[in-house]
Amino acid sequence: MLVMINIAQLWILAATVEAALARRYSVLLPLVISSAVCFAITLSIIKWWRPASRRKTSSGYVRDNSE
Amino acid sequence: MSKIISDEHDVHAATAPYQADFPYERDEEAQVTRREFCNFLGLTSAALFVGTGGFAAKAALDARTTESFSAAHVAGAETLAPNSALNFNYPAANDSAILIRTADGAYHAYGQKCTHLSCPVYYSPDHQRLECPCHEGAFDASTGAVLYGPPPRPLDVIEVETREGQVWAVSRKPAAEENGS
């Protein structure tokens, strides 16, 4: 998922460069917002995603079979 | 005869005497955890976001500044035969441009860099159009618009004026801006 988001952001960056060179300024803001949304999703996944085999404890995430 | 280190076992054998001084294990060094990989992708995402924002900000900044050009005489334009072209530089010495005199005698000038990958375009008298030899793109000789091929936008237009029989380049701007798109 993160790799796919990175690829999408790469496309957005390429589109931004092309729009800037073509002086199509009206599409720049939507492109930046799109990239920001992708970055926010990436951060959310990194911060909150944990493997299903882990569970949260007071000292952090541990494997279910560790106790 | 020196022994060639050819596989992982030999590497371990060759580095064993130095493990006390440099206690690094290749296997551990090469190990990337899932969390480290995710963090790397997060950093990549941040870099791409910053790059996108930076490019957009620079483009917006450039749009607010108006570039001023000084007129320059295009040497040799007066003797240019109809349906032919000559190269010149405008506005700076390293900005290559092409002046075309169409079959009807009108002058048109464009930046010579193809908008696809910056190959120099040349005028084709047979087809009366500008052609890019790299990837077979073509531009209209009268407007600079893309006729076919991979170029994504028209050529930069250089405005020319005829003053007392001499041809002068007076400004250069992107065709997209001129067309209002």
Side-chain angles (χ1 to χ4, degrees):
Chain A
M1 181 72 176
L2 290 174
V3 173
M4 288 166 63
I5 292 172
N6 271 201
I7 291 170
Q9 278 192 287
L10 203 58
W11 284 343
I12 292 168
L13 176 60
T16 305
V17 172
E18 188 52 46
L21 292 174
R23 271 78 171 174
R24 297 184 62 188
Y25 302 114
S26 60
V27 301
L28 290 177
L29 188 59
L31 286 168
V32 173
I33 291 172
S34 304
S35 189
V37 168
C38 288
F39 180 49
I41 293 171
T42 301
L43 282 185
S44 303
I45 291 172
I46 290 173
K47 181 165 176 55
W48 286 298
W49 174 82
R50 290 293 181 279
S53 61
R54 309 288 174 97
R55 64 186 175 83
K56 191 176 184 181
T57 68
S58 59
S59 59
Y61 287 87
V62 295
R63 291 182 187 278
D64 274 342
N65 57 2
S66 64
E67 292 183 353
Chain B
M1 182 177 171
S2 61
K3 186 179 178 182
I4 298 172
I5 297 174
S6 60
D7 60 24
E8 203 67 16
H9 174 75
D10 288 340
V11 171
H12 279 294
T15 57
Y18 310 105
Q19 281 296 313
D21 294 329
F22 302 99
Y24 294 103
E25 283 291 339
R26 281 166 55 87
D27 295 341
E28 290 178 8
E29 288 295 304
Q31 176 71 29
V32 178
T33 65
R34 182 159 46 192
R35 179 54 53 186
E36 287 173 342
F37 183 59
C38 288
N39 289 341
F40 172 75
L41 292 176
L43 281 175
T44 306
S45 178
L48 290 168
F49 170 56
V50 170
T52 303
F55 246 103
K58 186 180 184 311
L61 199 66
D62 290 346
R64 293 178 182 220
T65 56
T66 53
E67 203 172 355
S68 60
F69 297 95
S70 55
H73 173 232
V74 184
E78 300 78 23
T79 56
L80 190 65
N83 197 28
S84 60
L86 69 80
N87 293 333
F88 66 105
N89 294 303
Y90 185 81
N94 57 353
D95 293 324
S96 59
I98 184 167
L99 178 76
I100 300 164
R101 190 172 191 190
T102 52
D104 60 3
Y107 290 101
H108 301 279
Y110 306 98
Q112 205 183 5
K113 283 184 180 176
C114 178
T115 53
H116 178 220
L117 290 176
S118 298
C119 289
V121 296
Y122 69 92
Y123 181 66
S124 169
D126 294 339
H127 302 106
Q128 298 188 3
R129 66 191 178 206
L130 288 152
E131 295 181 349
C132 178
C134 292
H135 302 99
E136 299 183 351
F139 302 88
D140 189 293
S142 299
T143 63
V146 179
L147 294 176
Y148 60 82
R153 59 186 180 280
L155 293 170
D156 287 358
V157 174
I158 295 172
E159 291 187 350
V160 291
E161 291 178 2
T162 305
R163 300 174 182 173
E164 299 173 354
Q166 292 185 328
V167 178
W168 290 71
V170 294
S171 73
R172 175 172 177 151
K173 57 186 174 183
E177 189 177 51
E178 185 180 62
N179 295 337
S181 57

